[in-house]
Amino acid sequence: MNKKQINSHDLGKARQGMELAMRLVSITYTVPLDELFSPTRRKAKVAFARQVAMYLVHVGMGMNLSQVAKLFKRDRSTAAHACRLIEDFRDNEEFDELVDLLEKTLRTLYHHPAAIPSLRGRSLMAKSKNASLRLHS
């Protein structure tokens, strides 16, 4: 996607991709969804997980940084910083393998939503308002 505006269908698909990325990092980093969706930075662990999600949406879905920032309700510079940071961390082979797996998982789930029937027709963003929602035990 280039600098064109996102139409309502594309925006819905973009939000779905963002929600999938947030769910993946929530499970991977054992961070509650409500904290990932928080408008404030939160703890370093939460901020890092959110940065990974931003990176996944940018790289895994091919969205530009302005679109990523808009989806995550952050500034473009924040999205750019997140993506640079994660790219730098990818020099670590173990982290690189993890992010590669997350990217592949995101693409698979995004392009084949039937593989995740529990997500069809349900918005994670709406559910994340419920502080009791936790994807990990």
Side-chain angles (χ1 to χ4, degrees), residues 32-135:
L33 277 173
D34 60 324
E35 289 192 33
L36 285 175
F37 283 107
S38 171
T40 58
R41 186 174 159 205
R42 300 286 176 158
K43 297 175 187 170
K45 179 179 179 178
V46 175
F48 185 75
R50 188 183 301 117
Q51 290 166 334
V52 172
M54 288 181 181
Y55 178 85
L56 290 173
V57 170
H58 174 59
V59 174
M61 294 176 50
M63 297 192 74
N64 69 42
L65 293 171
S66 295
Q67 293 165 332
V68 172
K70 187 173 185 173
L71 278 173
F72 284 85
K73 297 182 176 152
R74 300 291 195 272
D75 292 333
R76 185 194 178 285
S77 62
T78 301
H81 171 74
C83 291
R84 277 193 310 272
L85 182 76
I86 300 307
E87 195 62 47
D88 287 346
F89 275 109
R90 290 195 78 168
D91 290 340
N92 175 295
E93 188 176 332
E94 190 175 312
F95 182 74
D96 183 57
E97 288 174 7
L98 172 64
V99 173
D100 190 50
L101 178 63
L102 290 171
E103 280 180 54
K104 289 175 183 173
T105 303
L106 176 62
R107 285 186 189 119
T108 299
L109 295 175
Y110 181 71
H111 293 294
H112 304 287
I116 45 170
S118 63
L119 289 182
R120 277 187 283 166
R122 296 160 72 184
S123 171
L124 295 176
M125 290 168 53
K127 288 174 147 189
S128 71
K129 306 258 187 242
N130 179 352
S132 66
L133 175 65
R134 305 222 184 236
L135 292 177

